[in-house]
Amino acid sequence: MNMTFTQQAETPPAAGSAADAGADPALPVLQLVGVSKRFDGFTAVDDISLDIREGEFLTIVGPSGSGKTTLLRMLAGLEQPSSGNITLRGTLINDLPARARPTCLVFQSLALFPHMSVGRNIEFPLKAKGVAAAARRARALELLKMVRLPEDYYGKNVMKCSGGERQRVALARAFAYDPDVLFFDEPLSALDYKLKKLLEKELKDLHKESGKTFVYITHSLEEAMVMSDRIGVMRAGKLVQVGSPEAIYGAPANRFVAEFVGEVNVFPVSRGDGGWVIGETGEPVRVALPEQMAGARQAAVVVRPEYMRFLEAPGDADNVVRGTVYNEYSLGSRMQYQIRSKHRVFLVEMSRAQTRAGDGKGEVLIGWNAEDAIVVEA
Amino acid sequence: MDAARNRRSHGLIWIWTLFVALVIYLPVACGALAGLSKGRYFLFPIRAFSFEWWEKTLDSLEIQRIVQTSILIALIVTLVSLAIAFFGALAFARYDWRGRRLYQKLLLLPIFFPQPVLGLALLLWFNALGIQPSWHTAIVAHLVWIVPVVTLVIAIQVYGFDPAMEEAAADLGAGRWMILKDVTLPILWPGIWSGALFAFLLSWGNFPLSLYTAGADSTIPKWLYSKMVAGYTPMVPALGTMSTLAAATLLLLGGAIAGFVRKRRAN
């Protein structure tokens, strides 16, 4: 306990302390090697290895129950891994308690102290470090400015703040701790859409300005896409894919990731004697197989709705389907059509500007080119 | 039409509420009046009022001693039961541990045990251990019954306590002591405060446990009973009224302090 205090007292609370520490940019700030967490016969996190890079904005996405919160809690030191190792800049920290780690977690509930004013909430980590009252106050006022709250919020009852304001207070409190890594456990999930969008962008700005490492978890890929440098997708305790937002979107590792990313057309295909056919119906289909799947006999074809087109003639695309439009949705700037063919329902999406008079009525021809489809493991 | 019916049902609710309040408080008022009677015996209606018996009660050395004993017992019971019940409530409602459900059930048992039986059982137990019953043993007896009650009162507050608060505090660098002092205790404070009031007032007014286990020492309820059985004087209702007023004052004061603190926190 004393060790941590003296250690942190030497570093004045200032933005960008991660850079001051002279960290080797090649060395991951946090590294997980084969980390698992089991609770009475249930494996919440299953053998995850991951490097978290200095200064990046990493988002872990996954449906609820996929183990992302447990993973974050292990990184924060609120939970100990059952097996595997977590290292911080090369030092093993498996058993280092949360309060001794240079990391800070913004909880889903925010966990603001309801009996303290906004100012005292923000000052809490400074008080824990033994900073004098006047210096605490000065720093709290600075942080209020940073999170764009007026100075007179210092004395305000935190329970009288709105949802977005509380969000900012929690953020300021986390920054007051001056961590190298900030963790976020879906803090924006309770806010309305517009405010959420605004705070996402502010968080991204703050990440850039502070130079700190952000690890964010959410079940919303949309949120992840807006903010992250890299995205990790979790499913049933396993890390399914890690990559840039473009990679996750453009080259999903498997059907789960592809479907998680958004509404897609997806169907199983298998290699028959005369080429590829659609799984259940045996219709022939042209598939552009990626190299690493050259020998595969089974696969899943994913066609994003925006790569599906209405066709003038059957020769206009590699794969052609005849169907009837039975639903159309306005998605604001985009239109989405549901087309029922003999065997399945297809989604076609296009920008409103591209729609033509005849689209979306009666019998239509739709299709896609083989190279626009993503082929993943079944 | 509807408005008229609404008004009528409103009126009926008021009348009923007043009636119930009257039924509840009339005996208390009668007791108070009996203590203000000039006569030696309890006669109704009271012919002449005087503060004579109040003065005698206040002057009596015997009564001063039993009031001191009652206060001492209640204070010690309050402090000890708060210390035990605070941690007991955390074990009851905050932490998940093997045997927690059994603990929760065992804890409730003394509350539902009839107090005279509990008092007798404790007396036999003290006897078997060779302990002379006195106000010391009465404290133990009160605790057996009051600790579970206070534990439940505090546990209600603990149930509404987000464990993430403590985790957040630890994550922000606070040690165990700072978490307890700056986070847990202040958040659970309303429950602890009402637990303290419960503890004091339940001990202050307890009769059956004191009757069995206080030995030769007397408390206010025990003295009231013994004087009713033999040697009635209007000092009985006078002391009873004083005791009730003291309890009510304590309760109001407790509520006022809680309100004041809440207001200060809310700025």
Side-chain angles (χ1 to χ4, degrees), chain A residues 72-111:
Chain A
L72 203 67
R73 288 173 60 83
M74 283 193 284
L75 287 170
L78 297 169
E79 212 80 71
Q80 271 66 50
S82 310
S83 58
N85 285 330
I86 302 175
T87 51
L88 175 85
R89 298 204 178 95
T91 316
L92 188 68
I93 55 161
N94 277 15
D95 299 318
L96 194 66
R99 65 193 193 84
R101 296 189 187 194
T103 62
C104 189
L105 170 61
V106 177
F107 286 77
Q108 182 163 25
S109 64
L110 303 181

Side-chain angles (χ1 to χ4, degrees), chain B residues 191-209:
Chain B
I192 295 169
W193 186 242
S194 41
L197 290 175
F198 261 99
F200 191 93
L201 294 175
L202 288 177
S203 170
W204 179 256
N206 187 280
F207 166 64
L209 293 171

Side-chain angles (χ1 to χ4, degrees), chain A residues 73 99 103-105 107 109 111-113 115-116 124-125 127-128 155 157 160 173 177, chain B residues 162 164-165 167-175 178 181-183 186-187 265-267:
Chain A
R73 288 173 60 83
R99 65 193 193 84
T103 62
C104 189
L105 170 61
F107 286 77
S109 64
L112 292 171
F113 306 128
H115 57 294
M116 296 184 194
F124 187 85
K127 197 178 168 197
N157 179 350
K160 283 187 182 159
R173 188 178 68 175
Y177 183 67
Chain B
D162 179 5
M165 300 282 175
E167 290 186 331
D171 191 42
L172 292 164
M178 185 177 170
K181 181 172 70 73
D182 284 10
V183 178
I187 293 177
R265 277 183 183 175
N267 299 313

Side-chain angles (χ1 to χ4, degrees), chain A residues 16-330:
Chain A
S17 70
D20 303 341
D24 176 3
L27 194 69
V29 55
L30 282 164
Q31 188 174 41
L32 294 100
V33 180
V35 171
S36 296
K37 179 69 183 179
R38 289 174 286 273
F39 300 103
D40 313 307
F42 164 72
T43 306
V45 169
D46 192 359
D47 190 24
I48 285 187
S49 296
L50 171 70
D51 286 0
I52 298 170
R53 298 173 190 156
E54 196 77 57
E56 77 170 327
F57 197 132
L58 172 72
T59 302
I60 307 285
V61 287
S64 36
S66 59
K68 51 194 194 306
T69 298
T70 308
L71 181 70
L72 203 67
R73 288 173 60 83
M74 283 193 284
L75 287 170
L78 297 169
E79 212 80 71
Q80 271 66 50
S82 310
S83 58
N85 285 330
I86 302 175
T87 51
L88 175 85
R89 298 204 178 95
T91 316
L92 188 68
I93 55 161
N94 277 15
D95 299 318
L96 194 66
R99 65 193 193 84
R101 296 189 187 194
T103 62
C104 189
L105 170 61
V106 177
F107 286 77
Q108 182 163 25
S109 64
L110 303 181
L112 292 171
F113 306 128
H115 57 294
M116 296 184 194
S117 65
V118 167
R120 280 190 60 210
N121 260 285
I122 297 174
E123 286 178 12
F124 187 85
L126 301 172
K127 197 178 168 197
K129 281 180 195 175
V131 176
R136 288 205 304 254
R137 189 188 161 93
R139 179 73 183 132
L141 292 174
E142 261 175 56
L143 287 163
L144 275 175
K145 199 173 161 196
M146 185 191 80
V147 296
R148 297 173 204 186
L149 284 175
E151 261 190 19
D152 57 6
Y153 269 52
Y154 181 87
K156 187 169 176 167
N157 179 350
V158 80
M159 300 316 282
K160 283 187 182 159
C161 292
S162 71
E165 287 164 357
R166 285 184 204 188
Q167 197 71 53
R168 290 160 198 267
V169 176
L171 199 59
R173 188 178 68 175
F175 267 87
Y177 183 67
D178 194 29
D180 294 346
V181 185
L182 276 106
F183 302 119
F184 299 88
D185 185 1
E186 307 204 37
L188 303 182
S189 57
L191 301 176
D192 66 68
Y193 185 79
K194 210 173 148 188
L195 189 57
K196 195 157 142 174
K197 289 284 141 204
L198 176 73
L199 287 172
E200 279 172 11
K201 295 210 168 95
E202 285 191 18
L203 206 58
K204 177 87 185 154
D205 291 346
L206 204 56
H207 170 250
K208 217 179 269 173
E209 286 157 24
S210 67
K212 292 181 188 295
T213 309
F214 280 28
V215 180
Y216 194 98
I217 65 174
T218 175
H219 59 266
S220 153
L221 200 93
E222 198 191 341
E223 213 171 298
M225 290 277 179
V226 174
M227 297 188 287
S228 325
D229 298 322
R230 284 199 306 156
I231 296 174
V233 183
M234 274 188 83
R235 179 198 194 182
K238 286 193 188 305
L239 198 56
V240 184
Q241 187 177 8
V242 187
S244 67
E246 294 72 32
I248 298 282
Y249 190 80
N254 59 27
R255 187 174 170 162
F256 172 77
V257 177
E259 286 182 303
F260 196 72
V261 171
E263 280 186 298
V264 288
N265 299 294
V266 53
F267 38 86
V269 294
S270 58
R271 202 196 289 268
D273 298 332
W276 289 90
V277 294
I278 293 183
E280 315 103 62
T281 59
E283 301 157 80
V285 61
R286 282 179 63 185
V287 171
L289 214 59
E291 274 170 43
Q292 72 272 18
M293 289 178 65
R297 304 203 59 81
Q298 305 280 332
V301 168
V302 179
V303 189
R304 297 203 177 283
E306 62 267 32
Y307 286 109
M308 283 280 195
R309 295 176 288 136
F310 288 107
L311 306 176
E312 304 277 338
D316 288 353
D318 293 344
N319 296 296
V320 180
V321 177
R322 191 174 294 278
T324 16
V325 175
Y326 82 96
N327 252 330
E328 74 177 84
Y329 306 101
S330 168

